[in-house]
Each structure stands twice: as C-alpha cells, then as structure tokens.
Amino acid sequence: QTGIPKTEIRRDVLTQEISLEGILKQVQPETVALISQRRFDDADPVWNRVIAGTEMPVPLYPSCVLVGQTVNGQEVRFYIRRFQITSEELEIVLGGDDYASLPFRGTAQKDEVPLTTNPLWPYNAAYANQDNIAFWTWPKAGTSSGDITF
C-alpha cells in the first residue's frame, strides 16, 4: 500500500485451497474405509471389517464430479481432478432417532497427469498449470445437456 490515504497497489496470491466438506448418509464398510483412509478387509468369512493400525494403507486420491443446476434449470458441474480426503476425526452417532451420517472433509490437489487420471475429462494443455486441480462446466447454448435431471 502507498500514499495517504493508503491505496492498494498490488495483492499477491500466496496460497489457494479448494476444500469440500460433506456428510455421507450411507454407512457401509467401503465408505467408512474411504473417508477414514483405512483398510477395508473382507477376509473374514462372517464379518467385513474396516481396520485401523499403526501403519496407514496407501492413500487413495479419488476424482469427483459434483452435479447441480442453476435456478433456471441449467446444469452446472464442478470437477475435482485429484481429491485428498483429510478427515482426521470420525464421528458416528448411534442410538438416535435419525439416520446415521458420517462427516468428511477433503482438499483438491494438483494432478500431475490429468490425461492419465481421467482421459475423457476436458483438459487444455495450453493452460497446463491452470487446468490441473479443478474446473467448472456449463453447457453451451443449444446443447441438450440441460435436459438431464438428477
């Protein structure tokens, strides 16, 4: 800043983060293993297990697409190329009169090889360092994508 009164002359972006928080309403062993980044074990003949030990399994970095629509019904999609689930707490409410839910958090990470991770997703190599974390899409005028309902 400079001058009196002070005037902003420059603002540098020092960090950026795209994070997502949600609540899963479907409790099953594979889902619990994914959001807690633990091992799913189906070796027992009677029980499926999610195991926690002193050593973490290799982390998974899923890709995801969030689909919604504007107030006028136009479809909007948010693509995350590489999502790191960072939930450090697992809270399960048992015995209540409502459905169980599992909160989760995650952060979008840089995808070093977006055409390998998701070869069918749009990617512009001319903007490689700008098109490697996440992107939004809207259908262009005259496309039928707006006819999709979810």
Side-chain angles (χ1 to χ4, degrees):
Q1 293 186 347
T2 187
I4 299 175
K6 297 224 180 265
T7 304
E8 184 173 333
I9 57 171
R10 177 175 158 167
R11 182 174 298 220
D12 293 330
V13 176
L14 300 176
T15 64
Q16 71 171 348
E17 180 180 289
I18 299 171
S19 60
L20 177 70
E21 292 185 25
I23 297 174
L24 296 177
K25 290 292 194 180
Q26 188 173 27
V27 179
Q28 57 197 39
E30 296 87 355
T31 308
V32 173
L34 178 64
I35 67 167
S36 63
Q37 291 289 291
R38 298 296 179 164
R39 170 80 55 205
F40 170 68
D41 179 28
D42 63 353
D44 186 275
V46 179
W47 297 96
N48 286 324
R49 302 184 319 141
V50 175
I51 54 178
T54 56
E55 184 176 313
M56 298 288 286
V58 175
L60 298 176
Y61 298 95
S63 300
C64 61
V65 183
L66 305 173
V67 180
Q69 61 178 275
T70 63
V71 293
N72 64 356
Q74 185 181 33
E75 182 180 322
V76 177
R77 293 182 181 196
F78 183 61
Y79 291 75
I80 299 176
R81 295 189 181 279
R82 187 173 189 261
F83 188 65
Q84 181 180 18
I85 299 171
T86 56
S87 293
E88 296 164 1
E89 298 176 4
L90 184 60
E91 177 183 327
I92 302 176
V93 180
L94 300 174
D97 58 358
D98 199 2
Y99 288 107
S101 60
L102 297 172
F104 72 95
R105 283 184 295 262
T107 307
Q109 301 287 320
K110 177 181 178 183
D111 186 350
E112 298 284 350
V113 287
L115 289 176
T116 301
T117 306
N118 293 293
L120 300 179
W121 284 14
Y123 176 72
N124 190 333
Y127 304 112
N129 288 330
Q130 297 171 15
D131 195 3
N132 57 9
I133 296 177
F135 60 94
W136 293 88
T137 63
W138 289 263
K140 291 184 177 181
T143 62
S144 62
S145 183
D147 296 337
I148 299 173
T149 56
F150 296 92

